[in-house]
């Protein structure tokens, strides 16, 4: 057959060439795109692949995922051009060639930089997502939020999804005041014990991001009902020659900090230090206690009021180093110091009357002064061994931590015995001037081994073992003046207590992971054996040993709906072991009208939770919704009753009068249902509007018929506006309804803040000014407690006005990441008193 038409011949040749090209098997491109400064993955960057000879025709269009990774199949062979673009970023252009039979082109790690060029009055501003979601956690990028230049970490926590901070700075995670705090992936029990004080003192410009680990897998210790807060500091994870200096001053105090990184060969060292001095204005408090039910000759109604003033300091420092033995072996070392001290003094007036008649019974003035200190010092070393099989890894870790705390207080009582009712004079004689000297310390050694390996392309297996040797000690000494005229204090052996609590924990875990196309899942189980031994060296109490075993399952599954959205479901069981603050049987009767002590026979509490989350992150609109239900049947609750002091075991010189007695018991049943939402809308390239919402219904049940339930709502919202010439302004508003606890409820609150910052010298120098609650000097929160035989209403008055300025300056460049062992020690197994102030929680 002859083809007579030349045009037809040309068309057939072109068709053959196109068919031949399309017939060639496709090759795969892959890589990861990171921010050149922060080393974080660049999400949602647009990637375009074209043939070099046909630049106008795109063969493939794709975007990077939340971690900056990309992977796609491309047809054909020959010369290609890849273009990567993102808003406010310099475009990356890569030429590459593919030969016949070549199956993969790996671009490795690519770095993208900010675009600094301006056209006329138009400035390109990057809008990076502040929130990222994974199968088991939510991450808030503090460093990318302009408010971090002037706020404390505690203030920034109000923006973090699933976290609430009320008007009295009590923190809750997933509606629970029982949670654990990590720093750079490692536990810091001092921060878990004192989260409000520590995070209030930490400047947010030292933080990179905060992770809320909502569904901890089997590799995590079984502790933490509400979840885990992992605070990643800027000083860790950065390499290259860099140093940043910062300072701040406000009506609440002043502080400063620095961090830097330097590398020499295979050794990289990173160090950070912060110091803050806090001097808060005087605060006021008061309230009433009323007797309900039967009234006896030992009953009384109280009216009280007082004021206090304090100042303190907080300091934190850390140092991390890594040494690459070779491409498969890595050693990392770390050292950390966190802590501070407080000094305070206060005065209170108490007035007692007879219920029903109002007759005067007694009155007194109490003066109190105290000083305290608390520190956490830790060090650790990790050895990581990689293998030629990708993602197979073996890690050995050791950590030592010590947490010394001390307190020293003086209480004096001023009253006239002639003004005391005759049958109350013996009771008033118990109010002797006192000096209380206390100290606690926890030292622990932890050994851990972890192993993870892929099985095929879609399966992952992980296993590990851990052994913790923990020694707790507590010494509470009391000294009294025998009479008001006596100058010296005498040691009171009957009211002093020394004891030791040894707590060894052996744990092992096994986990399985699966990833098939759009579905990913994790399944795991953890076994923990606990051995406790308590010895009383001074004071009343019987030595005892106690062992218990816990089997802790967890499961989670995620489904990728689109490249920008995913759905996650999880279940986990968590336990709480009572810490030394709950166990200490020391009877504190320094205030004879309000006596308290710990309970050395507490059991660990167990909680079960189910959660369902949806996330959708685009350049314009980000949303994360989470629903959660949890229940606990033996939670540790603080129980307060009005009883005759003769019923309190171990109380010296009881008088038969009625007093408040508080202790801890495993009597709580809780049911919590919550819904939280985070919304971020990039209205324009310069305008960001956001909201963090949380709603929770709580049902609590305890002994003696105690029950309480109710709703609690939290809302935080605001807007950030970028202006020409590197100016930014932020306005934030937040509030909460009263929170629910077993024997009452707390107070609602409302607050607001405004901040302005300006960058100079290509964003190396930043100046910030901030103000909060500037129209109203004082807050007036209230709370109420109702128990057997009494109702107590309390109020506080303290300033929330905040004015201040801060400055930070960076020198040097950041180029790479400090190598870190992917697995390290995380001790998060102890329930601490840090959650006690959270208003009941779970």
């Amino acid at each position: 057959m002859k083809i007579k038409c030349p045009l037809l011949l040309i068309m057939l040749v072109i068709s053959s060439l196109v068919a031949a090209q399309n017939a060639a098997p496709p090759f795969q491109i892959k890589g990861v795109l990171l921010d050149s400064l922060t080393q974080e993955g660049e999400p949602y960057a647009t990637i375009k692949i074209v043939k070099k000879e046909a630049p106008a025709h795109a063969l493939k269009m794709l975007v990077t995922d939340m971690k900056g990774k990309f992977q796609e199949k491309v047809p054909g062979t020959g010369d290609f051009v890849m273009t990567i673009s993102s808003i406010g970023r310099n475009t990356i252009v890569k030429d590459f060639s593919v030969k016949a039979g070549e199956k993969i082109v790996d671009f490795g790690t690519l770095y993208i930089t900010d675009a600094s060029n301006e056209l006329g009055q138009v400035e390109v501003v990057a809008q990076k997502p502040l929130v990222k979601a994974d199968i088991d956690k939510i991450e808030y990028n503090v460093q990318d939020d302009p408010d971090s230049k002037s706020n404390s970490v505690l203030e920034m926590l109000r923006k973090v999804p699933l976290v609430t901070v009320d008007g009295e700075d009590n923190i809750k995670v997933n509606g629970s005041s029982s949670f654990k705090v990590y720093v750079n992936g490692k536990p810091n029990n001092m921060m878990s014990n004192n989260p409000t004080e520590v995070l209030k003192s930490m400047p947010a410009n030292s933080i990179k991001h905060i992770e809320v680990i909502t569904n901890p897998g089997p590799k995590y210790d079984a502790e933490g009902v509400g979840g885990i807060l992992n605070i990643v500091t800027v000083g860790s994870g950065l390499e290259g020659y860099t140093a940043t200096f910062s300072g701040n001053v406000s009506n609440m105090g002043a502080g400063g900090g620095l961090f830097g990184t330097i590398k020499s060969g295979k050794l990289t060292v990173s160090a950070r230090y912060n110091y803050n001095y806090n001097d808060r204005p005087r605060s006021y408090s008061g309230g009433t206690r009323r007797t309900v039910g039967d009234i006896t000759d030992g009953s009384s109604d109280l009216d009280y009021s007082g004021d206090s003033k304090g100042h303190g300091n907080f300091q934190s420092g850390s140092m991390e180093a890594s040494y690459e033995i070779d491409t498969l072996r890595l050693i990392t070392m770390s050292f950390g110091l966190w802590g501070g001290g407080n000094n305070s003094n206060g005065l209170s007036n108490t007035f007692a009357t007879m219920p029903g008649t109002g007759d005067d019974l007694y009155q007194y003035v109490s003066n109190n002064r105290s000083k305290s200190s608390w520190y956490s010092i830790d060090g650790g070393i990790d050895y990581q061994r990689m293998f030629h099989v990708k993602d197979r890894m073996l890690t050995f870790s050791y950590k030592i931590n010590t947490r010394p705390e001390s307190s020293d207080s003086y209480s004096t009582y001023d009253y006239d015995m002639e003004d005391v009712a005759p049958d109350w004079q013996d009771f008033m004689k118990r109010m002797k001037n006192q000096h209380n000297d206390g100290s606690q310390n926890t030292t622990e050694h932890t050994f851990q081994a972890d192993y993870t390996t892929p099985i095929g392309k879609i399966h992952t297996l992980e296993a590990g073992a851990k052994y913790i040797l923990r020694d707790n000690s507590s010494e509470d000494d009391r000294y009294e003046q025998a009479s008001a005229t006596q100058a010296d204090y005498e040691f009171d052996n009957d009211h002093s207590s020394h004891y030791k609590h040894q707590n060894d924990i052996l744990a092992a875990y096994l986990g399985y992971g699966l990833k098939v196309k759009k579905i990913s899942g994790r399944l795991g189980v953890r076994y923990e054996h606990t051995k406790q031994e308590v010895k009383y060296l001074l004071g009343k109490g019987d030595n005892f040993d106690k062992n218990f075993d816990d089997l802790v399952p967890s499961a989670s599954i995620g489904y990728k709906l689109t490249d920008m959205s995913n759905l996650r479901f999880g279940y986990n069981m968590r336990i709480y072991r009572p810490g030394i603050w709950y166990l200490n049987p020391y009877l504190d009767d320094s205030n004879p009208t309000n006596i308290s002590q710990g309970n050395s026979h507490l059991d660990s509490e167990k909680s079960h939770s189910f959660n369902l989350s949806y996330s959708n992150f685009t350049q314009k609109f980000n949303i994360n919704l989470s629903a959660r239900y949890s229940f606990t049947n033996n939670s540790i609750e603080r129980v307060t009753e009005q009883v005759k002091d003769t019923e309190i075991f171990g109380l010296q010189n009881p008088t038969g009068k009625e007093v408040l007695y508080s202790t801890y018991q495993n009597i709580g049943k809780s049911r919590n249902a919550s819904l939280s939402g985070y919304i971020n809308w990039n209205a324009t390239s310069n305008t960001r509007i956001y909201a963090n919402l949380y709603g929770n219904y709580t049902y609590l049940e305890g002994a003696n018929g105690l029950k309480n339930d109710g709703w609690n709502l939290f809302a935080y919202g605001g807007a950030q506006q970028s202006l020409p010439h590197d100016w930014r302004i932020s306005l934030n508003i937040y509030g909460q309804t009263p929170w629910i606890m077993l024997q009452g409820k707390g107070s609602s609150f409302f607050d607001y803040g405004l901040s302005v910052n300006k960058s100079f010298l290509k964003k190396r120098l930043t100046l910030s000014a901030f103000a909060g609650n500037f129209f109203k000097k004082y807050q007036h929160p209230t709370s109420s407690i109702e128990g057997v035989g009494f109702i107590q209403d309390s109020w506080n008055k303290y300033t929330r006005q905040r004015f201040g300025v801060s400055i930070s300056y960076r020198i040097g460049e950041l180029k790479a990441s400090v190598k870190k062992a992917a697995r390290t020690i995380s001790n998060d197994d102890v329930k601490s008193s840090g959650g006690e102030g959270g208003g009941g929680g779970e």
Side-chain angles (χ1 to χ4, degrees):
M1 177 182 177
K2 293 183 178 180
I3 299 176
K4 299 180 179 180
C5 177
L7 180 59
L8 180 59
L9 178 60
I10 292 172
M11 292 177 64
L12 287 173
V13 171
I14 293 175
S15 298
S16 300
L17 291 174
V18 173
Q21 177 173 302
N22 290 336
F27 63 92
Q28 186 181 73
I29 64 166
K30 63 183 249 184
V32 60
L33 184 65
L34 302 182
D35 182 286
S36 63
L37 293 181
T38 67
Q39 306 301 302
E40 291 184 336
E42 179 75 11
Y44 316 130
T46 302
I47 301 176
K48 180 180 179 182
I49 307 293
V50 301
K51 291 284 289 184
K52 195 167 188 177
E53 61 269 21
H57 174 64
L59 292 176
K60 282 288 182 180
M61 295 288 293
L62 61 148
V63 295
T64 58
D65 66 10
M66 290 292 293
K67 296 182 179 180
K69 295 181 180 179
F70 60 91
Q71 186 170 322
E72 188 61 79
K73 291 182 178 180
V74 180
T77 58
D79 297 326
F80 298 84
V81 179
M82 179 177 71
T83 304
I84 305 177
S85 59
S86 184
I87 296 176
R89 304 296 219 167
N90 290 315
T91 300
I92 297 175
V93 179
K94 290 285 186 181
D95 294 337
F96 65 98
S97 299
V98 177
K99 299 178 181 179
E102 197 169 350
K103 296 181 178 180
I104 189 168
V105 178
D106 189 349
F107 289 96
T109 301
L110 302 173
Y111 296 96
I112 195 166
T113 58
D114 284 336
S116 58
N117 296 330
E118 295 185 8
L119 285 173
Q121 298 299 316
V122 179
E123 180 184 3
V124 179
V125 180
Q127 286 280 16
K128 295 179 64 177
L130 287 177
V131 174
K132 299 179 182 180
D134 201 350
I135 190 172
D136 58 357
K137 67 182 178 182
I138 297 290
E139 178 184 305
Y140 189 87
N141 292 313
V142 176
Q143 194 177 31
D144 292 335
D145 190 327
D147 287 350
S148 66
K149 303 298 187 296
S150 56
N151 281 344
S152 68
V153 177
L154 187 72
E155 290 295 323
M156 297 302 297
L157 269 182
R158 301 182 197 274
K159 294 187 176 187
V160 178
L162 307 175
V163 178
T164 61
V165 183
D166 69 16
E168 298 179 46
D169 296 333
N170 298 310
I171 306 168
K172 290 185 181 180
V173 178
N174 273 318
S176 173
S177 54
S178 300
F179 59 90
K180 307 305 293 182
V181 181
Y182 286 15
V183 178
N184 299 324
K186 300 178 181 180
N188 189 290
N189 288 330
M190 189 279 297
M191 293 187 69
S192 295
N193 300 336
N194 308 276
T196 295
E197 293 300 321
V198 175
L199 300 180
K200 184 188 298 182
S201 301
M202 286 185 66
N205 59 13
S206 66
I207 303 302
K208 187 175 181 181
H209 62 259
I210 297 174
E211 296 174 348
V212 184
I213 304 175
T214 57
N215 197 37
K219 68 179 179 181
Y220 293 98
D221 291 337
E223 185 71 14
V225 168
I228 296 170
L229 286 181
N230 182 32
I231 298 173
V232 180
T233 60
V234 175
S236 64
L238 299 178
E239 180 187 307
Y241 161 60
T242 179
T244 298
F245 306 87
S246 62
N248 64 84
V249 61
S250 72
N251 62 320
M252 300 289 187
L258 61 92
F259 71 80
T261 303
I262 190 170
K263 180 178 180 180
S264 177
K266 294 183 177 182
L267 178 66
T268 303
V269 180
S270 173
R272 179 187 60 83
Y273 179 77
N274 284 96
Y275 178 87
N276 266 68
Y277 173 77
N278 302 309
D279 188 12
R280 292 184 172 270
R282 186 169 295 275
S283 61
Y284 306 86
S285 62
T288 62
R289 193 189 82 198
R290 297 291 180 257
T291 300
V292 297
D294 297 334
I295 297 176
T296 69
D297 56 3
S299 302
S300 63
D301 288 344
L302 297 183
D303 291 85
Y304 51 91
S305 62
D307 61 79
S308 62
K309 179 76 171 67
H311 61 88
N313 66 86
F314 169 78
Q315 55 184 324
S316 67
S318 64
M319 183 173 66
E320 296 183 342
S322 66
Y323 182 78
E324 294 180 75
I325 301 174
D326 52 38
T327 57
L328 297 178
R329 293 179 295 170
L330 173 71
I331 293 178
T332 62
M333 295 152 283
S334 64
F335 171 81
L337 167 68
W338 307 76
N342 289 292
N343 289 270
S344 64
N345 62 82
L347 180 147
S348 63
N349 294 274
T350 302
F351 187 71
T353 57
M354 186 67 188
T357 66
D359 295 339
D360 293 348
L361 298 179
Y362 62 85
Q363 59 180 316
Y364 65 89
V365 177
S366 174
N367 284 280
N368 303 278
R369 55 187 174 90
S370 65
K371 61 180 180 179
S372 62
S373 66
W374 31 270
Y375 287 93
S376 176
I377 306 169
D378 62 76
I381 183 168
D382 303 293
Y383 170 77
Q384 177 177 284
R385 175 71 161 88
M386 304 296 291
F387 299 87
H388 293 291
V389 177
K390 185 180 179 182
D391 295 329
R392 178 174 293 173
M393 179 176 59
L394 176 65
T395 307
F396 295 101
S397 304
Y398 167 75
K399 179 181 178 181
I400 182 172
N401 175 259
T402 183
R403 299 188 299 278
E405 300 185 25
S406 66
S407 60
D408 193 27
S409 64
Y410 289 83
S411 300
T412 61
Y413 297 93
D414 184 13
Y415 58 90
D416 189 342
M417 191 63 76
E418 294 182 358
D419 295 330
V420 178
D423 57 343
W424 283 84
Q425 291 187 1
D426 288 340
F427 179 80
M428 289 299 295
K429 290 178 182 178
R430 296 187 61 241
M431 296 188 180
K432 299 178 180 180
N433 295 342
Q434 299 174 15
H435 170 206
N436 289 279
D437 185 9
S439 63
Q440 293 83 37
N441 186 45
T442 295
T443 300
E444 62 184 23
H445 302 267
T446 306
F447 305 86
Q448 182 171 321
D450 298 279
Y451 178 72
T452 181
T453 182
I455 302 176
K457 295 183 178 180
I458 64 174
H459 307 281
T460 302
L461 191 67
E462 60 179 0
K466 176 190 254 186
Y467 185 49
I468 305 174
L469 296 90
R470 180 180 292 129
D471 291 327
N472 301 308
S473 63
S474 176
E475 296 184 0
D476 293 282
D477 294 329
R478 179 186 293 186
Y479 302 83
E480 290 185 351
Q481 288 180 328
S483 65
T485 58
Q486 181 179 333
D488 297 331
Y489 286 85
E490 296 180 355
F491 181 72
D492 186 346
N493 187 82
D494 292 334
H495 286 89
S496 300
S497 173
H498 295 185
Y499 87 108
K500 289 187 176 182
H501 172 216
Q502 293 182 322
N503 191 6
D504 292 353
I505 301 170
L506 176 63
Y509 72 88
L510 181 66
Y512 167 75
L514 173 71
K515 190 169 185 179
V516 183
K517 296 182 179 179
K518 294 185 177 182
I519 298 177
S520 58
R522 294 177 185 170
L523 186 67
V525 64
R526 184 180 185 90
Y527 166 77
E528 294 190 352
H529 171 76
T530 305
K531 178 183 178 182
Q532 295 193 77
E533 182 178 308
V534 176
K535 292 182 179 180
Y536 296 91
L537 308 179
L538 177 67
K540 298 182 180 297
D542 297 325
N543 299 344
F544 71 92
D545 298 333
K546 192 169 188 178
N547 300 330
F548 46 87
D549 300 277
D550 293 292
L551 197 63
V552 183
S554 62
S556 59
I557 187 170
Y559 181 73
K560 190 175 182 181
L561 300 172
T562 68
D563 288 338
M564 304 295 182
S565 62
N566 60 72
L567 194 65
R568 307 178 303 281
F569 175 77
Y571 159 79
N572 64 71
M573 171 187 165
R574 309 294 288 164
I575 66 175
Y576 263 144
R577 298 180 185 89
I580 194 171
W581 302 268
Y582 285 81
L583 296 167
N584 191 349
Y586 174 71
L587 189 67
D588 183 3
D589 65 340
S590 55
N591 179 353
T593 67
N594 201 333
I595 299 171
S596 64
Q597 69 178 146
N599 180 359
S600 59
H601 298 282
L602 290 173
D603 288 324
S604 61
E605 66 178 60
K606 299 176 176 63
S607 174
H608 303 265
S609 67
F610 303 85
N611 56 82
L612 178 66
S613 300
Y614 167 77
S615 301
N616 186 51
F617 300 109
T618 66
Q619 286 282 62
K620 275 284 188 181
F621 193 76
N622 301 336
I623 184 171
N624 183 83
L625 298 174
S626 298
R628 187 174 189 264
Y629 175 76
S630 64
F631 65 91
T632 304
N633 291 325
N634 70 329
S635 64
I636 298 172
E637 299 290 347
R638 182 181 177 92
V639 179
T640 302
E641 299 177 340
Q642 183 164 286
V643 300
K644 290 186 177 181
D645 59 11
T646 51
E647 299 177 13
I648 301 176
F649 178 76
L651 182 66
Q652 300 295 315
N653 303 316
T655 62
K657 302 303 182 182
E658 293 180 356
V659 299
L660 290 189
Y661 173 69
S662 300
T663 188
Y664 299 97
Q665 298 179 24
N666 285 104
I667 48 84
K669 290 185 178 181
S670 66
R671 306 291 184 267
N672 285 270
S674 63
L675 179 65
S676 67
Y678 173 84
I679 301 171
N680 184 89
W681 177 39
N682 296 330
T684 71
S685 60
N686 295 308
T687 306
R688 187 195 303 272
I689 300 172
Y690 49 86
N692 185 22
L693 310 170
Y694 184 86
N696 180 65
Y697 173 76
T698 301
Y699 173 83
L700 300 168
E701 183 178 329
N704 300 319
L706 290 174
K707 291 182 181 180
N708 202 6
D709 69 295
W711 287 92
N712 170 242
L713 302 175
F714 170 89
Y716 186 105
Q720 294 174 351
Q721 179 67 42
S722 297
L723 303 172
H725 308 296
D726 290 328
W727 284 90
R728 284 183 185 251
I729 184 170
S730 298
L731 174 65
N732 300 304
I733 301 173
Y734 48 99
Q736 178 174 293
T737 62
W739 39 264
I740 304 299
M741 51 187 173
L742 178 61
Q743 292 184 255
K745 64 179 182 178
S747 180
S748 60
F749 77 94
F750 175 80
D751 208 339
Y752 51 87
L754 178 69
S755 66
V756 179
N757 63 66
K758 172 75 168 73
S759 297
F760 304 88
L761 305 176
K762 296 182 179 181
K763 298 185 179 181
R764 290 179 177 271
L765 174 67
T766 301
L767 297 177
S768 302
F770 57 93
N773 208 42
F774 37 83
F775 291 125
K776 185 180 180 181
K777 183 174 183 179
Y778 287 104
Q779 296 273 21
H780 296 268
T782 61
S783 63
S784 62
I785 298 177
E786 183 174 353
V788 176
F790 78 99
I791 296 177
Q792 181 171 289
D793 295 307
S794 301
W795 58 266
N796 287 279
K797 177 183 174 183
Y798 53 83
T799 183
R800 289 279 300 174
Q801 275 191 344
R802 305 175 300 281
F803 303 94
V805 295
S806 63
I807 182 173
S808 67
Y809 181 69
R810 175 176 58 86
I811 61 175
E813 295 294 338
L814 311 177
K815 297 179 180 179
S817 297
V818 166
K819 302 268 184 170
K820 284 190 176 183
R823 292 292 174 88
T824 188
I825 289 174
S826 297
N827 292 346
D828 57 344
D829 60 287
V830 180
K831 180 164 184 174
S832 69
S833 60
E836 181 183 328
E842 286 189 286

